Amino acid sequence: MQQFITGPRIDPVINKIRGCLFGGAAGDALGAEIEFWDLARIRKSFPDGLTSLPRHDGRRAHITDDTQMTLFTAEGLICAIVRAGDRGICAPEAVVHHALLRWLLTQSGKPRMQVSDVGLVNDVRLQIRRAPGNTCLSALAAAKKFGDPANNDSKGCGTIMRVSPCALIADSAGQAELLARDTSALTHGHTLGIEAAVAFARILFEVFNGAPLKRAIDKVRLSPPIMAALEAALNAPRDGRAETVESLGSGWVAEEALAIAIYAALAGRDFWHGLQIAVTHSGDSDSTGAIAGNLLGLLYPDQAQASRTQLECSDLIARIARDLAFARRDSTEFAAEFGDQYPGW
C-alpha cells in the first residue's frame, strides 16, 4: 500500500477515511451503554460526563450493530467496484444487499437467497449479536432478490447510521446521493428515512472533499421535513447542553438522528466534545454517536484515530478503511490484488 504514503505523512484521503470510520465506531462505543437511559440516569452515573469509552456488555469500547452494518456496507461497496471492473456493469445496491445479508447471518438471521461465506462474515468478533434493529433484521430476512427495496414504512435511524461508506467511495455528489438512496431503501421504506440518509451522505461527501460544514449543509436540497431538521440543528443554541440536543428529538427516527449529529458537529469544540454532545440525551445514543462520529471524524481525523487502540475490532476498521481508499483510487489494481477477498456479487 505504498501509494498511500508520502514520505512520513499519511495520504490525506486515507487519513480522512480512517477518521470517518474510526469516528463512527468511537461514537457508537461511547453511546452504547447509555442507549435507552434517561438523562437523569446518565447524569447520575456520569457526573463529569462521558469522559472515556465505557464498558458495555462486559467489554470496554464495545461496538454495536451500527459499526457492524457500516463495515458490511463498506465491504459491499468495495465488492461492487470489483464487479464493475470485471463485468463493466454493476448494480451497487444489489451487491451491498448481499453484504448486508452476510451481516444478517452473523445475527442468527436466515436469508432467503444463497449467501457467500467470504469476508467479514468469517470474523468471530462480528458473529456476536449486538442488539440489531428489528427493522433491518426483518427487511433483510424478507428479501427475495438482491437489490429489492424493503416493503415497510419505517424511517428509523438504521438508514443513516451505516451510510458513511457511500460518501467515502463516491466520485461525485450525485453518486453519493444515489448510493445512499438505493442502499438505505434495502431496509427502510419511508421517504424521510431514505432522504435523511441521502442528506447525510451529501454532507459527508462535501466535507470529505474539503467543504466547510455549513457550506456542505447548504448543498442539501430535499423535502421540507429534512430541510427543517437541518435548520433546527443550525439554529439551535451552540451551548451543547443535553436539553438543547433533546429539543431536536431523541434520534430514534432518521431525521432526528440527522439533526442531532449535525448539531453535535456544529457545537463541538473538538472531536471528543462533539461526541459527548451527540450521545448525552434520553434516546438512541449509540446511533447518534455513530452518525456524529462519522462527521466529526472527517472534521478532526487525527483526533478520531486516537481512539483506535482502545476500540474493539480496530484492525477490521483499519483494513476496511485501507481497502476503501485503495479501491476508489485504482479499481483495476485493487481488483487484481484483492479481488478474491471481495467477490463481485
Side-chain angles (χ1 to χ4, degrees):
M1 295 302 171
Q2 292 300 313
Q3 61 266 40
F4 295 129
I5 305 296
T6 305
R9 297 184 59 194
I10 301 297
D11 182 276
V13 170
I14 184 63
N15 197 43
K16 287 183 180 181
I17 291 175
R18 286 175 180 167
C20 183
L21 295 184
F22 275 109
D28 182 21
L30 189 67
E33 178 63 16
I34 61 173
E35 184 186 20
F36 304 114
W37 291 17
D38 62 31
L39 186 56
R41 182 182 177 188
I42 295 171
R43 284 174 165 163
K44 182 178 180 180
S45 300
F46 300 96
D48 297 323
L50 284 117
T51 56
S52 62
L53 297 173
R55 296 185 71 84
H56 177 64
D57 283 351
R59 301 176 182 86
R60 185 169 298 280
H62 180 76
I63 62 168
T64 77
D65 63 309
D66 296 36
T67 299
Q68 278 185 316
M69 293 194 78
T70 299
L71 293 175
F72 276 93
T73 298
E75 182 180 65
L77 290 169
I78 297 169
C79 289
I81 285 181
V82 172
R83 181 180 180 86
D86 287 346
R87 308 287 182 86
I89 189 171
C90 179
E93 68 277 9
V95 186
V96 171
H97 204 174
H98 188 180
L100 294 178
L101 291 172
R102 292 195 291 273
W103 168 79
L104 180 65
L105 286 174
T106 71
Q107 306 300 290
S108 303
K110 296 181 179 179
R112 296 191 179 194
M113 292 90 82
Q114 181 183 358
V115 177
S116 66
D117 60 354
V118 298
L120 294 172
V121 69
N122 293 305
D123 193 291
V124 295
R125 293 168 295 178
L126 297 185
Q127 293 168 10
I128 299 171
R129 192 174 173 94
R130 298 172 183 268
N134 288 329
T135 298
C136 290
L137 291 175
S138 61
L140 292 170
K144 297 178 180 179
K145 182 181 176 183
F146 292 126
D148 279 354
N151 184 23
N152 61 41
D153 195 36
S154 174
K155 61 172 182 174
C157 66
T159 61
I160 186 173
M161 56 80 165
R162 65 177 197 262
V163 79
S164 60
C166 296
L168 300 177
I169 209 163
D171 57 15
S172 69
Q175 185 184 40
E177 291 188 353
L178 182 61
L179 288 172
R181 185 179 301 278
D182 290 345
T183 60
S184 65
L186 297 171
T187 55
H188 291 68
H190 197 290
T191 299
L192 290 185
I194 295 169
E195 285 198 348
V198 171
F200 194 55
R202 178 61 184 268
I203 292 166
L204 289 175
F205 176 85
E206 297 293 342
V207 173
F208 180 60
N209 285 281
L213 179 53
K214 288 184 182 178
R215 186 183 303 166
I217 296 169
D218 287 342
K219 295 290 186 179
V220 177
R221 295 289 185 271
L222 290 166
S223 65
I226 298 299
M227 302 310 295
L230 293 174
E231 283 297 317
L234 285 164
N235 295 331
R238 304 287 172 81
D239 52 27
R241 298 175 66 242
E243 289 79 4
T244 303
V245 174
E246 293 192 344
S247 74
L248 301 172
S250 56
W252 299 112
V253 296
E255 69 269 28
E256 292 179 359
L258 172 66
I260 291 171
I262 297 299
Y263 174 75
L266 290 167
R269 295 187 299 269
D270 54 29
F271 175 76
W272 284 105
H273 184 233
L275 279 194
Q276 290 169 339
I277 292 170
V279 304
T280 309
H281 59 86
S282 307
D284 194 354
S285 296
D286 63 327
S287 293
T288 56
I291 298 162
N294 290 141
L295 178 54
L296 288 159
L298 287 179
L299 295 171
Y300 307 101
D302 294 332
Q303 293 179 28
Q305 291 177 74
S307 65
R308 63 187 297 174
T309 58
Q310 306 173 52
L311 280 169
E312 185 187 19
C313 298
S314 63
D315 58 317
L316 295 183
I317 298 167
R319 176 168 63 80
I320 289 293
R322 177 203 69 186
D323 292 351
L324 267 174
F326 188 5
R328 77 187 298 277
R329 180 181 183 273
D330 191 329
S331 59
T332 301
E333 184 179 348
F334 178 84
E337 188 168 346
F338 293 106
D340 58 336
Q341 298 177 33
Y342 294 94
W345 70 291

